[in-house]
Amino acid sequence: MSRINKNVILALLTLTSSAFLLFQLYYYKHYISAKNGAGVSKSKGNRIGFDSTQWRAVKKFVMLTSSQNVPVFLIDPLILELINKDLEQVKNISHGSTSECKFFCVPRDFTAFALRYHLWKNEEGWFRTAENMGFQCLKVESKDPRLDGIDSLSGTEIPLHYICRLANHAIHLVVFHERSGNYLWHGHLRLKGRVDRKFVPFRKLQFGRYPGAFDRPELQQITVDGLEVLIPKDPVHFLEEIPHSRFIECRYKEARAFFQQYLDDNTVEAMAFRKSAKELLQLAARTLKKLGVRFWLSSGTCLGWYRQCNIIPYSKDVDLGIFIQDYKSDIISAFQDVGLPLKHKFGKVEDSLELSFQGKDDVKLDIFFFYEETDHMWNGGTQAKTGKKFKYLFPKFTLCWTEFVDMKIHVPCETTDYIEANYGLHIWIQLRTIPEIQCLMLLQCRMSANSTRQAVATFQELEHDQEDLHK
C-alpha cells in the first residue's frame, strides 16, 4: 500500500511540475515579452514573426528616433510595396492590435528610412544613444554640391548616409537635403579610406548607387507590425520615382574655367533675356507637368546647362526635347491657354514633328520630338524656305534629373554624347561659344574669337542660316 502511495505521489508531483513549467512559459511569452517591447502590439494569442532579427532591429530604431524626436519616414521599396497592396486595411489597424508580423519580418539585409536633414537638431546625441542601444553605425559624408558654385565654400562636407547595424540586420538612413528647386536630394554613397567594406553588403543597398532627386512627399502615420511609422502619403508616386531618380550636377568647375576664358555677358540685354527665358522655361515645365509629359533640356539650352551652368544669353530661345510616344493631342492648346501662341509647326506626329511657341519679349520656345529606332534616336527638321527635310541622329540616351535656374529638370544622362551629336566633336577641343560651333558646322571653317563680343557679332551674322537649317 505504501509502495502504491509513493508511485501516486511521484506521478502527481511530476504532473504538477510540468503544469507549472508550462504556465511559466506561457506567462513569459504573452506577458513578460510584451511588457519589455514598448510601442509593440500587446494582443493576446499567437504573435507570429515578432522574434525575427529584422523586426527587432526596426523596433529598436523606431524607439531610438522617437526618443530623440527625429522625424524619419519609411522609404524601403520592398516594405512600401507590401504596404501599398493592402494600404486601406493597414491604415485601419490600431496600435496594439497586430498579431502577425507581415512586413518588417520579411527576410532582407536592410530596411531603408529617410530623414530631412534640416529637421535634425541633435545629430551627435542621436549617435551616442544609438551606440548605447547596441547599434554599430557608419556615417558617410561628402562635399555639399549646393556650394560648388561658391569658391570659398565648395569644400564644406555634409552627411549623406547612415548605416546602423544591429545583429544581422542593418538600417539604412538616407539623408535628404533641401534644394532650391523645391525638391529633396540625396547624395552618392561613396566609401572612403579605411571603411570596412564588409561592414554590410553595400551592393544590396537600394539607395546611394548614385545621387537621387525626389518630390517633397507629404507624410502620413500608420501602424505597421505594431510599430508607429511615417510613410509617404502617396506611396505609389514615391515608388515610381525611385527607378527614375538619378541626379547629375551641373559642372561648376568647368563653368568657372569657361568664364575665365570667355567673360560672361552681364549686359542689361543679357540679364533681361535670361530672366525672360527662365520664366518661359518655368511656364513650359508647369504646362507639360500638368499634361503628364516628360521633357528635357535640349540643343542650346542643354549646352548652356552643361558648359556654363546657365542660360546662354545670345541663344534667343528655349529648347526642349520630348519623346514622340509622350505626345498629347492637346499639347498645342495647352500652351495657347497659358498665353503662348503657336509660331510654327513642322512635320507631323508620324514624322519629324517640331513645334515653336512665341513667348514674351521675343523669346521662343522650341520643342523637338524624338523618335526611337533599334540602335539610335532622331529628331527631324524642315528648312523653312525650301521645305527640305533633315534628320538629326543621336545615340540612345536616358533621362536624369538636374538643377537648372532653380528648377528640378531633366537632361540626358549621357550628356556629352548628346551634345556632341547635336554640335559635333569640335566643341570639346576647346571650350568654344555657340557661334564658333555654328561656324564649324555650317561653314566648315574656323574663326578666332578673342572675346564674347566678337562671338556675339559672328552669331548675329549666322543665326538666320542656323534657323533655316533647324527648320
Side-chain angles (χ1 to χ4, degrees), residues 49-318:
F50 286 92
D51 58 347
S52 72
T53 302
Q54 295 92 338
W55 183 83
R56 291 180 181 275
V58 173
K59 185 196 86 168
K60 272 202 169 185
F61 181 76
V62 171
M63 292 171 61
L64 166 65
T65 55
S66 297
S67 66
Q68 297 289 311
N69 294 318
V70 180
V72 301
F73 57 98
L74 181 69
I75 60 170
D76 192 281
L78 174 61
I79 307 303
L80 284 180
E81 285 176 2
L82 292 174
I83 291 172
N84 186 64
K85 289 178 180 178
D86 205 6
L87 182 58
E88 291 306 314
Q89 183 177 345
V90 173
K91 288 164 64 175
N92 292 327
I93 294 176
S94 60
H95 182 68
S97 64
T98 306
S99 61
E100 182 179 357
C101 185
K102 297 180 180 179
F103 306 101
F104 289 130
C105 299
V106 175
R108 63 200 185 284
D109 295 294
F110 298 92
T111 302
F113 286 84
L115 165 74
R116 291 166 64 178
Y117 186 66
H118 74 286
L119 299 177
W120 200 354
K121 305 302 181 185
N122 186 16
E123 181 183 351
E124 292 184 4
W126 182 89
F127 234 118
R128 289 193 298 270
T129 305
E131 292 176 347
N132 292 336
M133 293 179 69
F135 283 103
Q136 293 177 285
C137 292
L138 172 68
K139 179 180 180 180
V140 178
E141 293 181 303
S142 188
K143 66 177 183 178
D144 190 343
R146 296 169 297 181
L147 304 177
D148 276 356
I150 307 173
D151 288 332
S152 60
L153 299 175
S154 59
T156 304
E157 292 206 338
I158 54 173
L160 301 178
H161 298 267
Y162 290 89
I163 299 175
C164 293
R165 185 179 65 188
L166 184 69
N168 296 322
H169 192 69
I171 304 297
H172 181 196
L173 181 59
V174 182
V175 182
F176 279 127
H177 295 270
E178 302 279 338
R179 298 286 294 240
S180 60
N182 194 33
Y183 63 96
L184 301 179
W185 170 90
H186 73 75
H188 182 198
L189 198 160
R190 184 179 287 111
L191 301 178
K192 299 179 181 178
R194 300 177 181 177
V195 173
D196 181 7
R197 263 63 176 175
K198 297 181 180 179
F199 182 70
V200 292
F202 290 101
R203 293 183 181 275
K204 295 183 180 181
L205 289 171
Q206 296 284 342
F207 298 89
R209 297 175 186 174
Y210 43 74
F214 292 82
D215 294 336
R216 186 181 286 102
E218 187 177 351
L219 303 178
Q220 62 179 330
Q221 183 171 290
I222 61 174
T223 300
V224 180
D225 295 335
L227 303 174
E228 292 184 356
V229 296
L230 291 171
I231 68 167
K233 194 170 185 178
D234 186 354
V236 174
H237 177 68
F238 187 84
L239 288 167
E240 289 174 346
E241 285 188 287
I242 293 174
H244 309 291
S245 62
R246 186 178 177 186
F247 183 95
I248 54 180
E249 295 285 352
C250 172
R251 300 164 9 124
Y252 291 104
K253 181 179 179 181
E254 288 78 1
R256 286 196 293 270
F258 177 83
F259 287 124
Q260 287 177 358
Q261 184 173 1
Y262 301 100
L263 295 179
D264 194 10
D265 187 351
N266 291 318
T267 62
V268 174
E269 294 79 7
M271 299 296 286
F273 169 75
R274 280 179 168 151
K275 180 177 182 295
S276 297
K278 177 180 177 179
E279 292 172 353
L280 179 58
L281 180 57
Q282 291 173 334
L283 179 58
R286 290 194 299 270
T287 304
L288 292 171
K289 183 176 182 179
K290 189 175 181 180
L291 289 172
V293 174
R294 292 177 300 168
F295 70 96
W296 63 92
L297 302 181
S298 190
S299 301
T301 308
C302 184
L303 177 62
W305 165 79
Y306 187 68
R307 193 182 62 181
Q308 297 162 236
C309 298
N310 207 340
I311 295 169
I312 298 174
Y314 43 83
S315 57
K316 303 304 180 187
D317 56 20
V318 172

